[in-house]
Amino acid sequence: AQTVTQSQPEMSVQEAETVTLSCTYDTSESDYYLFWYKQPPSRQMILVIRQEAYKQQNATENRFSVNFQKAAKSFSLKISDSQLGDAAMYFCAYRSFPQGAQKLVFGQGTRLTINP
Amino acid sequence: GAGVSQSPSNKVTEKGKDVELRCDPISGHTALYWYRQSLGQGLEFLIYFQGNSAPDKSGLPSDRFSAERTGGSVSTLTIQRTQQEDSAVYLCASSLRGGGSTDTQYFGPGTRLTVL
């Protein structure tokens, strides 16, 4: 079974600075997808960024980028120019390639605080 | 269009009572997922519906939990004889196809269940 580990229960960063959230995972599959979701106090999970394991290029979405290290099974999220609205719980998640189970496997989450 | 909606937003019940939680997916989405978010267990998969296929019930924690999806749209998660450990936020998600590199799970705001 796949597992996802987020070793940082809480992180904080000054507004406008850069922060990196860590995620590692364990799988025997060669093809899969990785995601970062954001959960603000409203509880609604919002997709931040996705990465296909077969792509070597790291995904980027505006101020959000990932550092995907397939051999190390590491998938960190970098948030640049942090904004107050980035404060939330961040979850790393894994999903198998289409032939496998389509459920998301989540890490325990990292609570990100932005200091003004 | 409208996102995934869930009702009720909050539910308080007494131990031993049955509860029903409702999920309205995004129109046209063929896949629907239920997850549970609790303090002790994090975010865990419960059940997955894809079109007319038999649902993947591998995440249901006990036979007190069941779910159905009527007409390929609305889904109801039923918990019978509720226990205090069932207290959690129950999240529903839907996706267009239930697989593929660009298939994204969109989440509802969840139902917070409290069992007294």
Side-chain angles (χ1 to χ4, degrees):
Chain A
Q2 295 81 27
T3 59
V4 177
T5 302
Q6 293 178 249
S7 59
Q8 305 154 316
E10 297 184 353
M11 292 281 286
S12 64
V13 64
Q14 291 296 125
E15 192 176 4
E17 294 189 346
T18 296
V19 64
T20 298
L21 308 184
S22 301
C23 172
T24 59
Y25 57 94
D26 189 29
T27 183
S28 59
E29 299 175 332
S30 58
D31 287 317
Y32 45 87
Y33 307 106
L34 297 166
F35 305 85
W36 278 98
Y37 276 88
K38 169 185 177 180
Q39 186 180 41
S42 66
R43 296 199 307 241
Q44 192 149 6
M45 302 281 278
I46 303 164
L47 178 66
V48 174
I49 198 165
R50 91 173 77 231
Q51 175 80 43
E52 291 89 344
Y54 56 85
K55 291 185 178 179
Q56 292 187 337
Q57 186 174 5
N58 289 324
T60 59
E61 288 287 344
N62 301 313
R63 298 183 295 107
F64 299 87
S65 62
V66 299
N67 183 3
F68 174 49
Q69 302 289 328
K70 190 173 184 179
K73 295 180 181 175
S74 171
F75 182 62
S76 61
L77 174 70
K78 185 171 82 171
I79 306 174
S80 303
D81 186 25
S82 299
Q83 301 176 359
L84 294 177
D86 296 333
M89 282 289 290
Y90 285 81
F91 291 93
C92 179
Y94 173 105
R95 178 163 68 86
S96 294
F97 213 59
Q99 290 78 8
Q102 293 309 295
K103 64 182 181 183
L104 289 169
V105 178
F106 288 93
Q108 292 295 96
T110 297
R111 182 175 301 281
L112 179 63
T113 301
I114 311 295
N115 299 313
Chain B
V4 177
S5 60
Q6 293 186 245
S7 60
S9 178
N10 292 282
K11 175 72 176 179
V12 179
T13 190
E14 294 179 346
K15 178 181 173 181
K17 300 283 189 182
D18 298 352
V19 295
E20 289 188 348
L21 312 180
R22 177 186 169 105
C23 172
D24 283 271
I26 293 172
S27 177
H29 279 194
T30 63
L32 187 146
Y33 312 76
W34 283 98
Y35 295 88
R36 179 169 71 173
Q37 185 174 20
S38 55
L39 283 176
Q41 301 296 323
L43 265 159
E44 53 182 341
F45 164 78
L46 295 177
I47 189 169
Y48 159 56
F49 296 89
Q50 171 55 55
N52 295 321
S53 302
D56 175 358
K57 303 179 181 180
S58 60
L60 294 179
S62 77
D63 58 8
R64 297 186 295 104
F65 288 73
S66 63
E68 63 177 17
R69 188 179 185 191
T70 54
S73 181
V74 172
S75 177
T76 301
L77 177 69
T78 301
I79 309 173
Q80 295 179 311
R81 305 181 302 282
T82 52
Q83 304 295 311
Q84 288 183 333
E85 61 262 29
D86 299 334
S87 295
V89 175
Y90 290 82
L91 294 167
C92 176
S94 71
S95 70
L96 189 59
R97 296 184 303 277
S101 62
T102 58
D103 196 57
T104 297
Q105 293 185 27
Y106 295 90
F107 284 79
T111 294
R112 180 179 297 280
L113 175 66
T114 303
V115 182
L116 301 177

